[in-house]
Amino acid sequence: MSGWNAEMLGWAVCALGLGVTGAHLVELALPVDAAGDAEQALVWLCFAVPIAVAFRRSRPLGLLRLRAMDVAYGIVFGAVVRGAQGIIGGLSGTPAPWPSTFSTDGALPSSFPTQAVTGTLVTPVLEEGFFRGVVLVCAFVLLRRFAGPAAAGVASVALSTTLFVLAHQLVGSPDAVDLATLALLGVTTGVFVLATGRLWPAVLVHVFFNATGFAMLAVGTLLA
């Protein structure tokens, strides 16, 4: 996989750092009602550019292949991770509260449909393409030469998951349950990429996970 090397990994990490730093600067510079969309666009751009550069260099064999079974993987394991979030949230002895979003009249905010569509379809593609595509694959290719496939697999999943969780922590405000769930999601999707050699199972797990989150927000808000 020519070009998917330490240099590409380094540029990807730099792009991630630029996105996180830029998001904070945007938050300081723009009004609250405009900052959110601008932050999201900047972070997406910093994911998209390394993905485009990596695939322009070469396309790992089979990585973008889509199979019907991948849909089943997405539904089943997306639901498993979402269910695990509820279990983790209840470990303190208090049942995890049903999520809801801001509402002034019992209705969903006007921006909710757009956020749900982009959060379900755009965010998973870019995040998985970046973290489980560029970062994980580059790390695996680099480390496999020195440590063998098993150790390289563990290390690449750990690296991509750590950066995935860290990025969410630095850009958003997740609590401990959210961070644990993000870590579980990162490990699950990373293992899928290594086990199948394909990116789409990871993307579809993430898509279904996010879709169930928005569905729960909608239900929790409308029935509150």
Side-chain angles (χ1 to χ4, degrees):
M1 288 182 286
S2 176
W4 292 61
N5 51 24
E7 179 195 1
M8 187 67 243
L9 179 60
W11 282 117
V13 174
C14 288
L16 178 61
L18 179 62
V20 170
T21 303
H24 284 288
L25 293 176
V26 166
E27 185 177 3
L28 294 174
L30 295 180
V32 174
D33 57 347
D37 290 341
E39 288 178 56
Q40 184 68 84
L42 178 60
V43 171
W44 280 351
L45 179 64
C46 291
F47 288 158
V49 170
I51 294 170
V53 171
F55 280 99
R56 183 177 176 82
R57 290 185 174 190
S58 67
R59 183 173 298 180
L61 183 65
L63 187 64
L64 298 182
R65 186 177 299 143
L66 174 64
R67 294 183 176 176
M69 182 60 71
D70 297 341
V71 178
Y73 288 150
I75 294 172
V76 172
F77 284 89
V80 167
V81 177
R82 180 60 69 188
Q85 182 179 28
I87 294 173
I88 295 170
L91 290 178
S92 63
T94 303
W98 193 272
S100 61
T101 189
F102 174 77
S103 176
T104 57
D105 55 3
L108 292 169
S110 59
S111 60
F112 184 83
T114 300
Q115 292 174 348
V117 170
T118 57
T120 298
L121 300 179
V122 179
T123 299
V125 172
L126 291 176
E127 289 189 352
E128 294 305 318
F130 181 84
F131 290 105
R132 256 63 67 179
V134 178
V135 172
L136 185 146
V137 173
C138 285
F140 180 78
V141 170
L142 177 65
L143 296 173
R144 182 179 55 183
R145 304 171 188 172
F146 309 102
V154 172
S156 59
V157 169
L159 175 63
S160 64
T161 300
T162 299
L163 292 177
F164 177 63
V165 173
L166 184 61
H168 282 81
Q169 184 177 27
L170 293 175
V171 174
S173 55
D175 59 20
V177 173
D178 292 333
L179 291 175
T181 306
L182 287 169
L184 178 60
L185 178 64
V187 170
T188 301
T189 54
V191 169
F192 263 118
V193 171
L194 291 179
T196 66
R198 303 191 305 276
L199 186 60
W200 278 108
V203 171
L204 292 172
V205 169
H206 200 153
V207 164
F208 194 78
F209 173 80
N210 282 14
T212 55
F214 282 109
M216 292 174 68
L217 277 174
V219 171
T221 302
L222 294 175
L223 298 182

